[in-house]
Amino acid sequence: NKKSRMAVALLLCIILQAVAQRGIFQSHIPRFSGSIIRSLNLRNAAPRRIRSRSLYAPTANKERDPLDFLSDNLEEPIPQNQDNINEKESSAQTGDFLVSNTYNKVRAYRCHDQEFLRNILQRWKYLPQVCVCGVSNAGKSSLINHLLKKDNIARASSVTGKTKSVDLFVVNDKFIIVDLPGFPGADGQASRLWAETFEPLVQIYLNEAADLRAMLFAHDARWPVTNEESKYLQAAKDLNLPTLVLLTKDDKVEHKARNWGLNRFRQDSGYEGRHIHYCSDNSLAPCRKARRMALKFIDTVCKSREKTL
């Protein structure tokens, strides 16, 4: 009878409208439900509206912590220059390793003046430190970014002298890796700036770092050895400071030139210690292996109970 048809039509409209609120077939359901009403001559009978209680119903807007976005992309958080670290970053699990392959919490301190450098060294004097040095544009900053799985926490650039401060990176509150300003190259670029500004900062760091465990020495095997490189390699030897030479940008060197560059470096610098052919391209297996070897060296020297200096 007519009442039964009306009840069935209303029930169908209610169901279809409820589904429409979920966003499923939203453009077709209103037209379809209207055709049912017209076919039954029920234009004056407005369908009853109900509230959807499904899981797809919109939820009330809640206030969000302005730093919650860090949890959306833990692979590359914003570099930290202050002490306030998000709690979610502090929960990063690195296990027994100093550096993780997934996420590392890093606090960055860029020391442009001597007083600030001394304050930071005093504040973090209880952590072991590893410094990275080499000629400008030899790949020091790219090396640090690759080791820590960061894009640009150390300021890498093809421009000579991009690092204009002593940059300390506190990694997972376990150790500190230090990016030192680059030595002037064989062409003499930035020699005056090095002598007047950068070298005094480097000397203060080397003299006042409380627990310096090792030096990573970056050198492009395609370049000749400079006087400053020989000077600092000899200083590390005199201080009995463990040193690992990283022959950077190895992916840009032909196979025959690799050994030639290594032999020339050893002959000109007098260095007889360990070395690694290094590059920062994770798509290459030798680069990934070089990273593991460098991290093993850092792990060994930082976990040693005896201080170097």
Side-chain angles (χ1 to χ4, degrees):
N1 55 27
K2 188 174 182 180
K3 290 184 178 181
S4 299
R5 287 187 298 165
M6 289 177 58
V8 172
L10 288 174
L11 182 60
L12 285 174
C13 290
I14 291 171
I15 294 174
L16 293 173
Q17 290 294 340
V19 175
Q21 289 182 6
R22 299 185 182 185
I24 306 174
F25 307 120
Q26 193 169 2
S27 59
H28 303 287
I29 288 177
R31 183 174 58 187
F32 180 52
S33 59
S35 64
I36 294 177
I37 297 175
R38 285 194 298 272
S39 65
L40 296 175
N41 196 20
L42 298 174
R43 292 174 181 266
N44 295 328
R48 178 187 173 190
R49 291 186 177 183
I50 64 172
R51 291 185 177 181
S52 174
R53 296 184 179 180
S54 68
L55 295 176
Y56 298 94
T59 57
N61 292 330
K62 297 180 179 180
E63 293 185 1
R64 190 182 184 187
D65 190 331
L67 292 179
D68 276 354
F69 71 92
L70 291 175
S71 62
D72 299 335
N73 188 11
L74 290 180
E75 286 292 326
E76 296 300 336
I78 294 177
Q80 300 292 331
N81 291 302
Q82 65 277 0
D83 300 336
N84 297 328
I85 303 298
N86 185 263
E87 292 181 359
K88 295 181 180 180
E89 289 183 284
S90 300
S91 62
Q93 299 296 325
T94 59
D96 294 332
F97 299 101
L98 297 178
V99 179
S100 170
N101 285 327
T102 54
Y103 167 77
N104 294 290
K105 183 186 72 176
V106 180
R107 310 186 192 196
Y109 299 91
R110 308 191 190 279
C111 306
H112 294 272
D113 60 82
Q114 300 179 12
E115 182 179 359
F116 184 61
L117 174 59
R118 287 191 171 100
N119 290 337
I120 297 302
L121 289 176
Q122 179 65 23
R123 178 175 184 178
W124 294 100
K125 62 182 180 180
Y126 59 88
L127 287 182
Q129 302 180 28
V130 175
C131 67
V132 181
C133 62
V135 172
S136 292
N137 206 25
K140 302 186 307 298
S141 298
S142 297
L143 165 67
I144 293 174
N145 290 329
H146 186 240
L147 289 174
L148 301 182
K149 291 280 188 176
K150 302 293 181 182
D151 274 347
N152 200 29
I153 194 167
R155 296 169 180 173
S157 173
S158 59
V159 178
T160 301
K162 184 66 176 179
T163 303
K164 298 181 179 180
S165 57
V166 175
D167 298 342
L168 287 82
F169 304 103
V170 183
V171 183
N172 299 319
D173 291 338
K174 294 183 177 181
F175 82 105
I176 301 174
I177 189 166
V178 184
D179 188 8
L180 299 176
F183 311 141
D187 55 3
Q189 290 189 31
S191 296
R192 182 176 178 180
L193 187 62
W194 164 259
E196 295 179 356
T197 306
F198 297 160
E199 188 171 25
L201 280 175
V202 173
Q203 290 295 330
I204 287 176
Y205 170 75
L206 294 176
N207 291 330
E208 300 188 15
D211 193 6
L212 180 59
R213 298 294 182 92
M215 173 188 292
L216 299 180
F217 195 93
H219 175 78
D220 191 330
R222 300 170 296 178
W223 299 348
V225 178
T226 66
N227 293 332
E228 290 295 333
E229 286 182 296
S230 300
K231 171 184 172 181
Y232 277 87
L233 282 171
Q234 184 60 43
K237 182 178 179 180
D238 294 341
L239 294 171
N240 198 26
L241 181 66
T243 302
L244 177 65
V245 168
L246 302 169
L247 299 174
T248 56
K249 305 180 184 180
D250 188 64
D251 53 333
K252 299 180 181 180
V253 180
E254 295 182 359
H255 180 72
K256 293 182 179 179
R258 295 173 78 238
N259 291 333
W260 177 83
L262 173 61
N263 292 334
R264 184 178 68 168
F265 173 79
R266 289 191 180 279
Q267 181 178 355
D268 295 346
S269 66
Y271 178 77
E272 300 177 352
R274 290 168 289 183
H275 76 279
I276 296 176
H277 291 277
Y278 200 94
C279 59
S280 301
D281 187 354
N282 270 331
S283 64
L284 302 177
C287 298
R288 297 193 296 271
K289 180 180 179 180
R291 178 178 179 269
R292 291 195 297 269
M293 294 172 65
L295 289 178
K296 184 177 180 181
F297 172 80
I298 294 174
D299 195 79
T300 301
V301 296
C302 286
K303 290 182 178 179
S304 173
R305 294 184 179 181
E306 297 182 1
K307 297 182 179 180
T308 303
L309 299 180

